[in-house]
Amino acid sequence: MSGTEVRIGAYVLDCPDPLALARFYGSMLGLPVADDSTDRWVELAGDGPTLAFQRVADYEPPRWPDGLPQQAHLDLAVDSYEAPHALAISLGATPLDPVEPPAPSFSRGFRVYADPAGHPFCLCTCD
């Protein structure tokens, strides 16, 4: 790699419990937690950009949709909503918009949730 190439090293989510949040996203994405994880830093193992979780002592969850400190969110691509919605809920996610379970007539390309640490994320059928 030359000195001018830049690439993503990791996408990191601050949280109060990195292992718990890594297990949530690992279960959503079908990825294991990396063996070299610590109490302060946990990564998911797999190909592609790294998704990591960092312990923050005075963590304050983002407030969706208008509050600070939300600065980013994850879009998780899905083919349909029913099974991914059920999985997210079973793992501790909270539906934010809409709050009702998905219906076959739902036509919007995304649904918004909060992960167990309060970070917004979307299940998206849009490519």
Side-chain angles (χ1 to χ4, degrees), residues 64-90:
W64 186 90
D66 298 320
L68 295 175
Q70 179 183 333
Q71 297 175 8
H73 69 272
L74 294 172
D75 283 350
L76 304 179
V78 299
D79 292 326
S80 64
Y81 292 115
E82 291 78 11
H85 169 85
L87 176 61
I89 299 305
S90 75

Side-chain angles (χ1 to χ4, degrees), residues 78-122:
V78 299
D79 292 326
S80 64
Y81 292 115
E82 291 78 11
H85 169 85
L87 176 61
I89 299 305
S90 75
L91 294 170
T94 302
L96 298 176
D97 181 24
V99 296
E100 301 82 19
S105 61
F106 187 78
S107 60
R108 192 172 74 187
F110 66 96
R111 295 178 59 92
V112 183
Y113 299 80
D115 69 24
H119 301 103
F121 73 94
C122 295

Side-chain angles (χ1 to χ4, degrees), residues 30-54:
L31 295 172
V33 172
D35 291 335
D36 61 350
S37 296
T38 69
D39 184 53
R40 296 195 46 77
W41 181 270
V42 179
E43 294 180 2
L44 295 182
D47 297 330
T50 299
L51 184 55
F53 310 88
Q54 176 176 280

Side-chain angles (χ1 to χ4, degrees), residues 13-17 20-21 24-25 59-62 92-93 114-120:
L13 292 173
D14 293 343
C15 59
D17 186 344
L21 199 56
F24 171 82
Y25 280 106
Y59 173 75
E60 182 180 334
D115 69 24
H119 301 103

